[in-house]
């Protein structure tokens, strides 16, 4: 331990700061400290009455195992949906049977079946044509909601400029493996803390695919979701470019299952990164520092991605090579010291999350509905 302290003490401040940047620590620590200092500015939907009606759309491919708990949690909402539409997107498991059984029991209002897999966007767009609610809530089949989540999400639309809102998300299967446990901690940092501070400055860049709510009239006017990958981010950026406001409702909670294996997690994150790069840079040209007529919040959300996502990801291989060249045999010792430092900072971050949101790793919702 003393050797690690000596290595850190002899390291330049620039290298230490860059090491923290590589591992995203400043992003969430600054977010949490800012929220703690300016907590009075956090938006909350609590106490706001919403008169809008909500249609729920559940697109699913082979999601039969999680469909019933998701429907059950939606039926227990303080703001009951006017309808629940399930879209079986060419599933080969028991999804259709589960959906039809729920419809026969009066738990689901409509079941749409695609003979072949058409994709999540096509499934949502198909259901939106039949929806009659003022607001559309799109939900993954393995998402389970707290009883007041829909009401709090809908309350965000009291502002006529709001065209989309997403809820706070936790991992429901955090005890399945070390990977889901790490994701549980990551979600507390990246979603609960990160998006809360971005919401304060109106810089939300992506409506969550697991559960997001849209104004139906704007959704249909815009032709629905893009059929390419990364449709949730593309639609969010499209709404921002049109001048609409996107909200993150931190006190509207839902849980969803995360990848349980390391390979599945890597594939998921590689897909997310690939989609983000394609949409941000190829479709919307967001690599430049500032666009003409762009609002300050739009600049902030782009810089947040470039500084805290793009730069660390691209720099990591070069960073590791530089550490090996700089420290030689002591490179492992330096990285171990950095790891321990980050571990203590992470503990501090989690304590702040618990204090600010009354949420800690290990609190699950899914068991309530099963």
């Amino acid at each position: 331990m003393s050797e690690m302290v000596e290595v850190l003490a002899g390291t330049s401040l620039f290298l230490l700061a860059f090491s923290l940047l590589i591992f995203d620590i400043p992003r969430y620590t600054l977010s949490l400290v800012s929220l703690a200092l300016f907590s009075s500015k956090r938006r909350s939907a609590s106490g706001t009455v919403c008169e809008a009606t909500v249609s729920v759309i559940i697109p699913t491919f082979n999601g039969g195992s999680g469909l019933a708990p998701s429907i059950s949690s939606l039926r227990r909402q303080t703001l009951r949906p006017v309808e629940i539409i399930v879209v079986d997107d060419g599933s080969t498991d028991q999804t259709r049977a589960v959906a039809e059984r729920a419809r026969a029991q009066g738990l689901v209002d409509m079941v749409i079946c695609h003979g072949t897999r058409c994709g999540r966007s096509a499934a949502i767009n198909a259901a939106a044509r039949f929806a009659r609610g003022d607001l559309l809530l799109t939900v993954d089949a393995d998402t389970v909601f707290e009883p007041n989540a829909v009401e709090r999400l809908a309350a965000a639309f009291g502002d006529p400029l709001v065209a989309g809102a997403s809820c706070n998300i936790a991992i429901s299967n955090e005890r399945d493996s070390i990977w889901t446990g790490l994701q549980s901690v990551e979600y507390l940092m990246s979603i609960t803390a990160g998006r809360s501070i971005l919401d304060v400055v109106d810089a939300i860049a992506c409506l969550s695919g697991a559960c997001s709510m849209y104004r139906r009239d704007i959704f249909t006017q815009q032709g629905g979701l893009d059929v390419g990958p990364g449709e949730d981010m593309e639609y969010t950026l499209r709404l921002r470019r049109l001048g609409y406001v996107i909200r993150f409702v931190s006190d509207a909670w839902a849980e969803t299952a995360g990848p349980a294996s390391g390979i599945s997690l890597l594939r998921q994150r590689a897909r997310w990164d690939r989609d983000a790069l394609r949409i941000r840079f190829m479709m919307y040209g967001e690599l430049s520092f500032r666009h003409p007529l762009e609002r300050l919040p739009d600049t902030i959300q782009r810089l947040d991605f470039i500084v805290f996502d793009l730069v660390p990801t691209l720099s990591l291989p070069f960073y590791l090579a530089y550490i090996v060249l700089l420290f030689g045999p002591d490179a492992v010792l330096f990285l171990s010291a950095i790891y321990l430092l980050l571990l203590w900072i992470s503990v501090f971050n989690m304590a702040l999350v618990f204090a600010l949101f009354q949420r800690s790793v290990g609190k699950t919702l899914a068991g309530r509905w099963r």
Side-chain angles (χ1 to χ4, degrees):
M1 181 66 71
S2 60
E3 292 180 356
M4 292 183 181
V5 174
E6 291 177 4
V7 170
L8 290 179
T11 304
S12 68
L13 291 177
F14 174 79
L15 181 57
L16 285 175
F18 192 74
S19 298
L20 296 178
L21 175 64
I22 284 288
F23 296 102
D24 273 356
I25 291 298
R27 183 186 208 173
Y28 307 126
T29 303
L30 291 175
S31 297
L32 286 163
V33 171
S34 299
L35 286 171
L37 293 175
F38 305 105
S39 58
S40 61
K41 294 185 179 181
R42 285 176 55 203
R43 298 180 178 90
S44 174
S46 301
T48 304
V49 177
C50 177
E51 298 180 356
T53 55
V54 178
S55 292
V56 177
I57 299 174
I58 308 178
T60 178
F61 170 74
N62 288 348
S65 60
L67 190 56
S70 181
I71 293 172
S72 178
S73 72
L74 288 166
R75 300 293 299 183
R76 296 171 182 261
Q77 292 297 303
T78 53
L79 176 62
R80 293 284 293 273
V82 294
E83 61 185 350
I84 298 177
I85 304 173
V86 177
V87 185
D88 174 17
D89 190 33
S91 299
T92 57
D93 66 351
Q94 74 276 24
T95 296
R96 182 171 183 178
V98 173
E100 292 290 0
R101 184 162 57 248
R103 186 176 67 84
Q105 295 171 349
L107 302 177
V108 166
D109 298 272
M110 183 182 299
V111 177
I112 300 173
C113 296
H114 290 170
T116 58
R117 190 176 185 183
C118 300
R120 181 176 181 274
S121 297
I124 292 175
N125 293 342
R129 291 196 291 267
F130 297 96
R132 51 192 173 88
D134 302 316
L135 304 173
L136 301 177
L137 175 62
T138 61
V139 177
D140 282 351
D142 58 358
T143 302
V144 177
F145 293 86
E146 282 192 344
N148 54 14
V150 173
E151 180 179 12
R152 289 178 171 176
L153 263 179
F157 291 83
D159 180 352
L161 290 178
V162 173
S166 61
C167 64
N168 216 333
I169 305 175
I171 294 293
S172 59
N173 59 335
E174 63 182 10
R175 297 181 181 178
D176 284 2
S177 68
I178 183 63
W179 304 109
T180 55
L182 291 173
Q183 288 173 78
S184 183
V185 176
E186 180 204 15
Y187 272 42
L188 282 174
M189 299 298 107
S190 63
I191 296 180
T192 303
R195 293 192 182 183
S196 290
I197 194 64
L198 288 175
D199 181 69
V200 172
V201 294
D202 295 335
I204 298 296
C206 184
L207 290 164
S208 171
C211 54
S212 290
M213 188 174 283
Y214 315 100
R215 286 194 190 275
R216 182 173 61 86
D217 55 351
I218 296 175
F219 187 89
T220 54
Q221 288 170 10
Q222 291 300 312
L225 299 176
D226 185 80
V227 294
E231 71 286 342
D232 44 1
M233 175 175 286
E234 189 284 326
Y235 187 67
T236 306
L237 295 179
R238 195 194 322 170
L239 291 176
R240 294 190 65 94
R241 290 292 179 93
L242 292 171
Y244 293 109
V245 175
I246 308 299
R247 288 271 79 89
F248 171 71
V249 185
S250 62
D251 55 0
W253 281 94
E255 284 196 351
T256 189
S261 70
I263 296 299
S264 298
L265 180 60
L266 286 174
R267 287 175 177 171
Q268 181 196 65
R269 299 311 162 89
R271 184 178 72 251
W272 287 359
D273 290 343
R274 182 177 64 249
D275 293 344
L277 290 173
R278 182 184 70 87
I279 292 167
R280 284 182 175 275
F281 300 145
M282 296 180 66
M283 294 184 66
Y284 285 91
E286 291 200 327
L287 190 56
S288 61
F289 182 77
R290 185 171 176 82
H291 285 267
L293 304 179
E294 183 178 68
R295 300 176 304 150
L296 179 60
D298 297 310
T299 303
I300 292 174
Q301 67 86 12
R302 289 196 301 107
L303 292 180
D304 173 75
F305 172 77
I306 293 171
V307 173
F308 291 112
D309 283 320
L310 185 63
V311 171
T313 300
L314 297 180
S315 301
L316 181 59
F318 303 100
Y319 166 81
L320 294 176
Y322 175 73
I323 293 301
V324 172
L325 291 174
L326 181 64
F327 291 97
D330 292 331
V332 174
L333 185 64
F334 173 78
L335 290 174
S336 299
I338 289 294
Y339 173 80
L340 288 176
L341 176 62
L342 299 182
L343 181 62
W344 282 108
I345 295 176
S346 296
V347 171
F348 170 76
N349 288 346
M350 285 188 284
L352 273 180
V353 168
F354 179 77
L356 289 170
F357 299 95
Q358 290 78 52
R359 194 83 179 187
S360 63
V361 178
K363 180 178 180 181
T364 59
L365 300 171
R368 300 181 186 180
W369 312 118
R370 293 172 179 158

